[in-house]
Amino acid sequence: MPPDPTDSTAPADLADSAPLAPGHMAMPADPADSAAPADPASPASGYMAMPADPADSAAPADSEPPAVATVTGPGGGGISAPFSPAALFHRWEGLILILLVAVTMWASLGVDGFANSSNVSFLLLDVTEIALMALTMTLVIVAAEIDLSVASTLGLSCAVLGWLWNAGLPIEAIMPICLVAGALCGALNGFLVTRLGLPSLAVTIGTFALYRGLAYVILGDQAVADLPPAYTSLAGSTLGPIPVTTLLVAVLAVLFVVILHFTSLGRSIVALGSNEEAAFFSGIRVKRIRFWLFVASGAMAALASLIFTFRYASARADNGAGLELAVIAAVLLGGVSIFGGRGTLPGVLMAVLLLGVVRNALILADVANEVLNFVTGLLLVASVLAPNLGAVWRRRTSPPLEGKSAP
């Protein structure tokens, strides 16, 4: 055994010997080997070096790892690979941004009237409701759920507004009632999904028809158009070329970006979308979070209904019909995985603008409405297919990890 450090009779050569190599420990040697020539790098006389666990050995202090860049795909997952300029194209949001710039430049140069300030204002106004509903839809889909009833919730809130206005209630009292109505629609979806265990796809397909039918029951096929001019003019007003409603979208977008990407709630949403069982056993309240996400989705659809109604100065039961397709297309095109657990809000917002630019340019080019629907459906299919093809391409082109061959 090693001598006591306080023992003054310890061998002198023990103190003068070279220190042990990292990851070794001193053990008494066989006395018969004491005649072996001393190695200046060996441990003290009478001891021999024994290798420790290889996992505990430290790397040399002067070694530096090679510079690497993280290559990420839709939603932010990825592997480390040597940096190259092409790594920028491996991020889905970068591709959406490049496509948005290219399409905008093409429309500005090739479509008459596209770059006019009045048309820019109209374009931003036209995507307001889609952008608002896409904010909460992103959180719902990242949590591995879906809400197909957002447009019907919007229509139901519009019908409630028109019915209450005809009943003589002041508009200031009607607006919070509409927001509560939308939240209740989302609460019903959340209850059926989280408490009864029904799949959100089936539930929201049912409430998609239920809420739209209830809107027709409340208001019928009539249109309420004598709305307060102060609110209708505010909904269409601009600050320069920027609509006031776009500023509202910007403020809410910043709030939702912070929630999803910089808070524990956002991390919990991503975790339960990635692996619900693991999230549950780690203490995340899976059912509660999903329930309130559906409530938020319904409330946001009701807020969009107020803007939609005042912008068009008309409350109808069929307001917003078909908008759920544009909302989901924007979310998926923005890089959110349909299976949950991945996605970024900046990508979704860029996809909303991309869809708006394409639609606006085609309208100015006098393209038929049927073609617009075809293009929207095509982009929806591409938004699901392209990220998966991109992931396969990245796996084949990325350098293999050390000790593993490329697939």
Side-chain angles (χ1 to χ4, degrees), residues 313-329:
S314 176
R316 295 172 54 93
D318 61 348
N319 278 0
L323 282 184
E324 64 279 333
L325 178 63
V327 172
I328 295 174

Side-chain angles (χ1 to χ4, degrees), residues 38-54:
D39 187 347
S42 64
S45 176
Y47 290 82
M48 61 181 180
M50 294 291 293
D53 188 349

Side-chain angles (χ1 to χ4, degrees), residues 19-280:
L20 290 175
H24 291 72
M25 58 183 177
M27 295 292 292
D30 191 333
D33 298 333
S34 59
D39 187 347
S42 64
S45 176
Y47 290 82
M48 61 181 180
M50 294 291 293
D53 188 349
D56 296 332
S57 60
D62 58 348
S63 63
E64 296 182 359
V68 296
T70 300
V71 179
T72 58
I79 62 173
S80 293
F83 174 78
S84 68
L88 174 64
F89 298 96
H90 286 196
R91 189 163 183 86
W92 184 254
E93 291 82 356
L95 294 177
I96 293 298
L97 178 59
I98 292 171
L99 188 58
L100 173 61
V101 172
V103 172
T104 303
M105 292 179 62
W106 165 79
S108 300
L109 298 175
V111 179
D112 292 336
F114 178 84
N116 294 341
S117 60
S118 59
N119 183 66
V120 172
S121 299
F122 175 79
L123 190 158
L124 294 175
L125 277 172
D126 199 39
V127 300
T128 298
E129 296 83 10
I130 296 174
L132 287 174
M133 292 187 287
L135 293 175
T136 47
M137 183 68 77
T138 299
L139 272 61
V140 170
I141 296 182
V142 167
E145 301 292 350
I146 196 167
D147 186 359
L148 297 175
S149 67
V150 287
S152 296
T153 302
L154 184 152
L156 177 58
S157 297
C158 290
V160 170
L161 187 152
W163 178 65
L164 293 177
W165 177 253
N166 282 341
L169 267 70
I171 197 66
E172 292 79 11
I174 293 174
M175 289 191 291
I177 293 176
C178 291
L179 294 177
V180 172
L184 290 176
C185 291
L188 177 59
N189 290 336
F191 174 80
L192 295 175
V193 171
T194 61
R195 300 304 172 184
L196 300 186
L198 301 176
S200 59
L201 179 63
V203 167
T204 56
I205 286 177
T207 54
F208 163 83
L210 173 66
Y211 298 157
R212 185 66 69 178
L214 186 56
Y216 279 101
V217 170
I218 292 175
L219 197 60
D221 58 357
Q222 64 175 313
V224 178
D226 57 336
L227 298 173
Y231 288 93
T232 56
S233 61
L234 178 63
S237 62
T238 62
L239 295 176
I242 308 300
V244 173
T245 54
T246 301
L247 300 178
L248 173 63
V249 172
V251 171
L252 291 175
V254 171
L255 175 63
F256 276 82
V257 166
V258 172
I259 291 174
L260 180 59
H261 299 295
F262 300 100
T263 66
S264 58
L265 174 59
R267 291 188 290 272
S268 298
I269 292 172
V270 174
L272 67 91
S274 300
N275 191 321
E276 179 180 352
E277 185 176 0
F280 174 78

